[in-house]
């Protein structure tokens, strides 16, 4: 495996992994989950999940990946024995399903990018809602955008890790951050925006039901790309002297910061123009065009340019995430089936495109495409974020906390003894007890056993 390549610099590592973490999970999923689960109380539980369970879980995956320097399935097998490869297989399956439905939403972003260039999103709040409904229920267009997005991802991934991923993530992350900050200020200055800020900052615990815990857990893992073997795959390209705990903490902080900014961009504007906070997956699409129009009404050209820039950056943020999902399966097929990277990438592209088409139709032209009372898109989202990701993270914790060779884990954690051991015991304690116990308790609670 000596020719697998590594990331060029330490900054590139953090940026590329952060590029995987930061995406539609922060800017699309976090606001609508927060809106559906009552606001600030959900956010508090979400933070608890990120810092208590997310960071130790990220370190877990990093340790496995960097130690083994191979695809996810083989990596888990190397740590725990053949049977543990199952975590890798589960991760590959999960990321493939996620890529399928994620591409649909990324496709909506592409449509919005072109619509904003053409000036088609300019209208009152009712028009904006109608625009979204009309577009998303078209039988052909959203499918084409979704498949198109998978194809764009395919092109980047089949070029290889160094060229594709590094170049994309280095450039755009800081730009996205700046633009988000501008939009937060613009949104908070709209009339009546205070109610939206209150919604985000004043917890109302009466809204906390049993499902809120699982949804916060799922959101935290989804947003950190945790439980899919994505972090394990990326860590297989890390350098030996990367401080894994530090990198995980930096990424989790950045990821949470961007999610909060997205909330502060969406809710003040939503309250200002009368969009319901619990509007679900359409929330950002029916809120944002109002921000661009209302907040920049005195300078329409600025609003026009900012809207284009924003959708372009959103598309790129989504792309750095879809690249990471695609990479997991591509490396696996490449290394296990001995296919060329190109062929391996095609297998994934075809599977994900099929999932994308069905998911897209299920929220549009064929709303009878349902499973367990949910549209196929919602079902895939629920299945992966709330069931498969926590299961992947749970199994990895058991592996690293209870099964793996302690000395090997310690060596990997401390980079062969060159880093201080202070945090090793705390991390080990949380991986052995806190992470698995919390996940089990949340599952039991959700399914009414507790
Ligand atoms: N973390 C990404 C986001 O927040 O948009 C989504 C994601 C990427 C999930 C990679 C899973 C994954 F393997």
């Amino acid at each position: 495996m000596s020719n697998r390549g590594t990331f060029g610099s330490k900054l590139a590592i953090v940026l590329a992994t952060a590029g995987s973490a930061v995406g539609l999970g922060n800017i699309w999923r976090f606001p609508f989950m927060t809106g559906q689960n009552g606001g600030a109380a959900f956010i508090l539980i979400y933070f608890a999940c990120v810092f208590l369970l997310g960071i130790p879980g990220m370190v877990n995956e990093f340790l496995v990946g960097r130690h083994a320097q191979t695809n996810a399935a083989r990596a888990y097998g190397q740590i725990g024995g053949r049977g543990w490869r199952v975590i890798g297989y589960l991760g590959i399956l999960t990321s493939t399903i996620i890529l399928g439905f994620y591409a649909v939403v990324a496709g909506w972003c592409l449509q919005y990018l072109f619509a904003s260039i053409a000036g088609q999103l300019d209208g009152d709040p009712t028009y904006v809602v109608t625009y979204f409904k009309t577009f998303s229920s078209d039988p052909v267009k959203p499918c084409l955008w979704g498949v198109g997005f998978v194809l764009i991802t395919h092109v980047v991934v089949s070029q290889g890790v160094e060229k594709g991923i590094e170049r994309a993530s280095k450039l755009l992350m800081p730009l996205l951050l700046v633009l988000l900050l501008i939009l937060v200020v613009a949104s908070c200055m709209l009339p009546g925006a205070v109610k939206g800020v209150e919604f985000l900052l004043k917890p109302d615990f009466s809204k906390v039901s049993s499902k809120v815990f699982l949804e916060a857990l799922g959101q935290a893992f989804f947003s950190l790309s945790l439980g899919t073997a994505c972090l394990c795959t990326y860590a297989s390209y890390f350098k030996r002297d990367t401080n894994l705990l530090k990198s995980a903490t930096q990424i989790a902080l950045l990821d949470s910061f961007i999610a909060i900014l997205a909330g502060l961009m969406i809710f003040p504007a939503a309250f200002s123009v009368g969009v319901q906070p619990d509007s679900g997956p359409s929330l950002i699409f029916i809120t944002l065009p109002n921000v661009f129009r209302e907040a920049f009404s005195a300078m329409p050209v600025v609003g026009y340019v900012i809207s284009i820039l924003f959708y372009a950056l959103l598309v790129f943020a989504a792309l750095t995430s879809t690249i990471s999902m695609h990479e997991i399966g591509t490396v696996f097929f490449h290394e296990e089936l001995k296919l060329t990277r190109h062929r391996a990438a095609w297998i994934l592209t075809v599977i994900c495109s099929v999932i994308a088409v069905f998911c897209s139709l299920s929220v549009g032209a064929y709303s009878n495409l349902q499973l367990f009372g949910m549209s196929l898109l919602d079902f895939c989202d629920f299945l992966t974020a709330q069931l498969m990701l926590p299961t992947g993270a749970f199994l990895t914790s058991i592996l690293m906390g209870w099964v793996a060779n302690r000395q090997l884990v310690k060596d990997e954690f401390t980079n062969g003894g060159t880093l201080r051991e202070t945090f090793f015991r705390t991390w080990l304690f949380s991986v052995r007890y806190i992470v698995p116990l919390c996940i089990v308790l949340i599952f039991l609670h959700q399914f009414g056993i507790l």
Side-chain angles (χ1 to χ4, degrees):
M1 298 296 156
S2 55
N3 62 348
R4 301 181 83 241
T6 55
F7 282 112
S9 68
K10 279 197 192 155
L11 180 67
I13 293 166
V14 179
L15 278 180
T17 316
S20 163
V22 175
L24 297 177
N26 310 62
I27 295 166
W28 160 73
R29 202 173 185 279
F30 177 80
F32 94 72
M33 278 285 152
T34 305
Q36 283 180 334
N37 288 297
F42 172 84
I43 296 181
L44 286 179
I45 301 170
Y46 168 79
F47 278 147
C49 292
V50 168
F51 292 101
L52 237 68
L53 316 179
I55 294 179
M58 290 173 83
V59 173
N60 268 341
E61 282 198 27
F62 283 167
L63 290 170
V64 176
R66 194 188 52 183
H67 173 75
Q69 303 208 357
T70 180
N71 66 71
R74 198 175 282 231
Y76 281 101
Q78 271 191 27
I79 298 276
R82 258 194 106 75
W84 289 92
R85 279 184 167 215
V86 70
I87 306 179
Y89 297 134
L90 178 71
I92 293 160
L93 180 66
T94 312
S95 59
T96 307
I97 301 175
I98 295 182
L99 179 51
F101 77 80
Y102 197 94
V104 175
V105 184
W108 295 349
C109 298
L110 267 180
Q111 159 75 23
Y112 270 59
L113 171 61
F114 287 100
S116 59
I117 293 173
Q120 289 169 356
L121 296 171
D122 207 6
D124 61 22
T126 324
Y127 166 81
V128 174
V129 172
T130 315
Y131 182 89
F132 179 79
K133 279 199 182 133
T134 314
F135 158 70
S136 61
S137 54
D138 188 285
V140 182
K141 245 185 177 180
C143 294
L144 289 180
W145 284 124
V147 173
F149 207 90
V150 180
L151 288 175
I152 298 172
T153 309
H154 173 95
V155 171
V156 182
V157 170
S158 47
Q159 277 186 25
V161 168
E162 298 252 317
K163 279 180 276 163
I165 302 174
E166 260 184 62
R167 215 186 294 149
S169 45
K170 243 188 223 168
L171 188 68
L172 299 155
M173 187 85 58
L175 213 62
L176 176 67
L177 209 82
V178 172
L179 210 68
L180 270 173
L181 282 167
I182 295 176
L183 288 171
V184 166
V185 174
S187 173
C188 288
M189 280 165 56
L190 291 173
V194 166
K195 284 217 175 84
V197 180
E198 267 177 19
F199 179 75
L200 277 183
L201 301 181
K202 265 198 191 157
D204 174 1
F205 287 100
S206 67
K207 298 237 170 73
V208 176
S209 62
S210 68
K211 84 177 194 358
V212 171
F213 286 91
L214 187 60
E215 298 209 329
L217 179 77
Q219 174 58 27
F221 287 4
F222 186 91
S223 194
L224 297 172
S225 310
L226 180 63
T228 56
C230 165
L231 300 176
C232 164
T233 305
Y234 266 28
S236 71
Y237 303 107
F238 282 11
K239 293 191 165 159
R240 284 272 160 223
D241 62 349
T242 304
N243 183 332
L244 300 179
L245 177 64
K246 193 168 143 201
S247 302
T249 311
Q250 283 170 341
I251 293 164
L253 283 172
L254 176 73
D255 191 69
S256 307
F257 181 60
I258 293 193
I260 288 295
L261 286 186
L264 281 169
M265 168 181 77
I266 294 297
F267 289 106
F271 277 84
S272 171
V273 297
V275 168
Q276 290 303 319
D278 58 354
S279 300
S282 66
L283 181 66
I284 71 160
F285 296 96
I286 58 178
T287 305
L288 273 175
N290 297 304
V291 181
F292 301 129
R293 191 193 58 254
E294 299 285 325
F296 299 97
S297 57
M299 310 166 280
V301 180
V302 178
Y304 175 76
V305 173
I306 287 198
S307 72
I308 295 172
L309 251 179
F310 180 79
Y311 288 117
L313 288 174
L314 192 55
V315 163
F316 276 109
L319 186 63
T320 50
S321 300
T322 52
I323 289 168
S324 70
M325 297 173 217
H326 202 295
E327 177 73 16
I328 305 170
T330 299
V331 190
F332 173 74
F333 289 127
H334 171 52
E335 292 181 352
E336 293 299 307
L337 304 184
K338 308 271 179 284
L339 299 173
T340 61
R341 247 188 98 86
H342 252 83
R343 286 229 170 116
W346 270 117
I347 298 186
L348 226 83
T349 298
V350 171
I351 300 173
C352 293
S353 299
V354 173
I355 299 176
V357 167
F358 282 102
C359 283
S360 177
L361 292 174
S362 77
V363 286
Y366 295 93
S367 51
N368 53 346
L369 274 174
Q370 292 204 343
L371 270 175
F372 302 102
M374 291 177 247
S375 71
L376 204 59
L377 190 144
D378 286 340
F379 175 76
C380 287
D381 179 289
F382 168 79
L383 177 74
T384 51
Q386 292 176 43
L387 300 182
M388 294 170 87
L389 297 184
T391 305
F394 170 81
L395 291 175
T396 311
S397 272
I398 299 294
L399 171 66
M400 297 306 278
W402 297 94
V403 179
N405 178 303
R406 183 72 51 84
Q407 192 56 41
L408 181 153
V409 174
K410 191 171 177 180
D411 280 350
E412 200 62 55
F413 189 96
T414 58
N415 293 350
T418 55
L419 296 177
R420 276 186 290 135
E421 280 179 29
T422 337
F423 295 110
F424 178 68
R425 276 193 212 109
T426 321
W427 167 80
L428 191 64
F429 180 79
S430 62
V431 163
R432 284 170 73 100
Y433 302 102
I434 300 179
V435 177
L437 221 78
C438 285
I439 295 177
V440 167
L441 285 178
I442 291 174
F443 268 159
L444 293 179
H445 193 44
Q446 163 76 10
F447 297 109
I449 302 168
L450 206 75

